[in-house]
Amino acid sequence: GGERGIHMNWEAIGAIGEMIAAGGVIFSLVYLAVQIKNQVRESRLAAVNVLTAQWAELLTTFGESTDSCAIWLRGLQSFDDLDPAEKVRFGSFLGRQFRNTEGLYLHYLDGMLDPRVWRGTERTIADMVAYPGTQAWWATRKHWHTDEFAQLVEKHIGREPTLYERYVEASG
């Protein structure tokens, strides 16, 4: 009987070892899932930080100059009525903003940008694209962007512009 008891003990020890190994695999998978979730969260935060920094830089650069503001308001109404240097300044601002927004849109499509942040960003582009001057500029530059982003911008064209209407009336 003693030899059989020893044999059963080794089987029990083997079974316990297998259970411990299986538990280790499960623990490792749970740990990996938590790490991946944390990396996704960090990537989302990084994308938002990039947006915030670039947007603040654009606004600061643009808003520090009365001339730039006047060009912006006139350019919204008519890109073609701007002189060549004004077209470059107006287009430069739009170009940076659209390129920034396109990058964020691609992050959003990949699930790396919080949808709440994207909705606010999309509303900004929608407001800008409602103006005929932005539309005229876009028509000459949309081929620089991804098809996905171009389709997004195109869906907002045709809306009634409202963002700067009080400013334009006051300056016009």
Side-chain angles (χ1 to χ4, degrees), residues 59-102:
L59 291 179
T60 300
T61 302
F62 196 73
E64 288 178 344
S65 165
T66 303
D67 290 341
S68 293
C69 293
I71 291 168
W72 174 251
L73 292 173
R74 286 195 340 271
L76 288 173
Q77 299 306 311
S78 175
F79 181 69
D80 295 331
D81 288 348
L82 297 175
D83 70 37
E86 291 171 336
K87 285 179 181 175
V88 170
R89 289 175 74 184
F90 182 77
S92 175
F93 180 81
L94 285 176
R96 287 184 291 166
Q97 181 59 32
F98 276 55
R99 187 62 67 195
N100 178 13
T101 303
E102 178 180 30

Side-chain angles (χ1 to χ4, degrees), residues 44 47-48 51 97-126 128 146 148-153 155-156:
R44 285 182 175 181
V48 171
L51 166 67
Q97 181 59 32
F98 276 55
R99 187 62 67 195
N100 178 13
T101 303
E102 178 180 30
L104 290 168
Y105 184 53
L106 296 177
H107 280 302
Y108 167 72
L109 291 178
D110 290 340
M112 300 303 288
L113 183 67
D114 187 316
R116 296 169 297 180
V117 173
W118 172 248
R119 284 191 299 272
T121 305
E122 184 176 6
R123 288 183 204 121
T124 302
I125 285 294
M128 285 193 277
T146 62
E148 295 87 349
F149 184 69
Q151 290 170 3
L152 172 82
V153 171
K155 88 174 188 180
H156 290 295

